Amino acid sequence: MNPESQAPLARWAFYRRDRRSVGHARAYASAALDEWGLSARRDDVLLCVSELATNALLHGVPPGRGFALGLLLHPDGVLRVEVHDSGEGEVRPPDPAPEGEGGRGLLLVSVLADKWGAGPRNPGKIVWAEFGTGGPRGGR
């Protein structure tokens, strides 16, 4: 079968607006990486999951809502991390103050991921990051 015609492996989870959700999302991603036999770039992926989830909670999840985490492993070994939220606003890396305590999440994502970006959804937005991983150990 042609690898391009194969569907990606996918895992999805929903988290409520709660500060503990970031740790839960990171643990969920870690378990998926283990299941798929992915160790390449593990720390980069997990840090970006934490940053994207934190940004969703701080800037994209209105009261009473939550965010979704999607992990998609394509047959060519590209892992796409997506965070869907229902908040409005533009996504761009800030220019943090050197002495500031925050504002570096998307800067880290932009450095660690091969590609990243954001797009609209109704309501809200999707922020994503992609990582070349070499693919799952032992195939599908």
Side-chain angles (χ1 to χ4, degrees):
M1 180 177 252
N2 182 353
E4 287 80 32
S5 66
Q6 295 177 353
L9 297 173
R11 298 289 181 272
W12 289 92
F14 181 81
Y15 299 95
R16 58 192 178 99
R17 187 176 190 232
D18 183 302
R19 63 183 176 81
R20 294 172 292 189
S21 292
V22 173
H24 295 309
R26 186 179 173 98
Y28 182 82
S30 180
L33 296 177
D34 288 346
E35 179 182 329
W36 293 336
L38 296 177
S39 58
R41 307 198 56 198
R42 177 185 191 81
D43 292 339
D44 294 348
V45 170
L46 295 178
L47 179 56
C48 288
V49 166
S50 294
E51 294 299 338
L52 295 178
T54 298
N55 281 350
L57 285 178
L58 293 176
H59 308 293
V61 180
R65 301 275 178 123
F67 69 92
L69 169 66
L71 304 164
L72 298 98
L73 179 59
H74 294 271
D76 63 0
V78 173
L79 175 68
R80 183 177 176 108
V81 174
E82 294 186 359
V83 173
H84 296 223
D85 68 49
S86 56
E88 296 183 17
E90 186 178 333
V91 177
R92 57 188 157 86
D95 186 15
E99 68 281 354
E101 292 183 14
R104 291 172 179 77
L106 287 177
L107 288 175
L108 288 170
V109 172
S110 71
V111 169
L112 296 174
D114 296 329
K115 293 187 225 177
W116 79 278
R121 73 182 283 270
N122 190 12
K125 61 192 164 301
I126 301 166
V127 184
W128 56 269
E130 292 183 346
F131 305 84
T133 66
R137 187 176 56 226
R140 298 175 72 86

